[in-house]
Amino acid sequence: MSMVSLGVPASDVSRVSRETDESPSVAFVLGSGLSGLADEVEGASFIPYDELEGFPAVGAVAGHAGQLVVGRIAGVPAVLFKGRAHQYQGATAHDAAYPARLAAALGVQTLIVTNAAGGVGDGLHTGDVLLLSDHINLMGTNPLSGWPGPSGGTPFIPMRDAYDPALRSVAHAAADEIGLSLKEGVYAGLLGPNYETPAEVRMLRTLGADVVGMSTVPEVIAARALGLRVLGFSLVTNVAAGEDLSHEEVLEAGKNAEVQLRALSLAILRRL
Ligand code: HPA
């Protein structure tokens, strides 16, 4: 039995199960402009988010394609969430964590999350791929607030090694194999949707953050509460508060580096 209530409608589990005979072992949550990995899925079937009863209904944001892809990737049975519901769109933290909750309900063991983020750490440049070693929750909310549900258990979960050390070693080995230089760093999650002020960027640097974004934290906390192993990547689409920034520029930077992240993901899957 899971430690916390999943809150996943049985209809969503059967909707996904109808598309495949295999139980998925890996789930991906693909961030802004990073959904190209879904093109690598063999025998893919697609479920629009609005056909999933439990998926929070929030408005679409450009670059966030809302669908679940089910199939095999590099031979591994997987589900891929193309796009997320963000808290800045009005989703609660519990809602924003739906991909992690549905993945757990499907029996997935490993959650791989990707996001577009602003670089705040020294030496980070647009187009860098950063392996997440940890996060700082500055969203002011928590997906475990209000849990535990009917199944009991405790929401007081440890967050040391939330980003799985063994999986991070696999990621480094995979990066070496494809000749990608992969740094590790800390993700600060903010509510958004405005980008940070220069004073906020200085604060984030002081706090020890390397990148800043508006997602990922809720699903990672929920995934850990549900016993999933987590791996996370940020694509640095801009240097935070470095210059005036548009959502289009963020998406454009994502396009170039997402090819690298796609190759890295495949190399990781071959090693799982
Ligand atoms: N800040 C927050 N979120 C982001 C950024 C940023 O600079 N770039 C992409 N997502």
Side-chain angles (χ1 to χ4, degrees):
M1 180 176 298
S2 66
M3 287 165 66
V4 291
S5 165
L6 288 167
V8 174
S11 57
D12 284 359
V13 175
S14 54
R15 177 74 184 82
V16 176
S17 305
R18 217 189 304 150
E19 304 296 341
T20 174
D21 298 332
E22 302 176 297
S23 42
S25 56
V26 175
F28 282 85
V29 182
L30 303 173
S32 301
L34 292 172
S35 57
L37 184 65
D39 298 343
E40 308 282 349
V41 176
E42 306 134 38
S45 36
F46 302 89
I47 306 171
Y49 285 160
D50 61 11
E51 289 181 20
L52 294 171
E53 209 183 305
F55 205 96
V58 289
V61 169
H64 299 271
Q67 59 182 358
L68 181 60
V69 185
V70 185
R72 276 182 159 249
I73 180 156
V76 180
V79 289
L80 293 85
F81 293 86
K82 285 178 77 171
R84 326 172 138 82
H86 295 87
Q87 289 183 246
Y88 63 71
Q89 294 170 290
T92 64
H94 181 72
D95 285 344
Y98 193 67
R101 293 187 286 117
L102 178 54
L106 293 168
V108 161
Q109 294 110 43
T110 302
L111 179 70
I112 303 181
V113 295
T114 69
N115 58 60
V120 301
D122 282 340
L124 283 178
H125 304 287
T126 298
D128 284 350
V129 175
L130 192 75
L131 174 61
L132 302 185
S133 57
D134 207 342
H135 76 220
I136 304 174
N137 179 7
L138 296 171
M139 303 184 91
T141 56
N142 194 299
L144 306 186
S145 163
W147 287 8
S151 60
T154 175
F156 302 110
I157 58 158
M159 287 296 285
R160 174 186 288 270
D161 294 337
Y163 297 83
D164 193 88
L167 288 178
R168 276 151 57 197
S169 297
V170 169
H172 283 297
D176 287 347
E177 177 196 318
I178 65 166
L180 176 71
S181 124
L182 188 64
K183 297 173 190 163
E184 283 202 10
V186 174
Y187 179 90
L190 271 62
L191 181 60
N194 59 281
Y195 292 116
E196 298 70 38
T197 66
E200 287 164 345
V201 170
R202 288 194 296 276
M203 172 193 76
L204 293 168
R205 217 171 269 145
T206 303
L207 293 179
D210 296 292
V211 286
V212 55
M214 308 169 193
S215 66
T216 300
V217 164
E219 64 230 36
V220 170
I221 293 173
R224 292 307 299 146
L226 295 166
L228 302 189
R229 298 167 79 199
V230 173
L231 195 59
F233 296 97
S234 282
L235 177 61
V236 179
T237 53
N238 59 283
V239 176
E243 67 276 341
D244 285 343
L245 181 67
S246 69
H247 188 58
E248 289 66 36
E249 286 171 304
V250 168
L251 294 181
E252 187 56 38
K255 236 177 261 165
N256 305 328
E258 90 108 4
V259 176
Q260 291 182 312
L261 194 49
R262 202 195 286 206
L264 179 62
S265 300
L266 293 174
I268 290 169
L269 287 165
R270 287 195 297 266
R271 287 167 177 268
L272 288 183

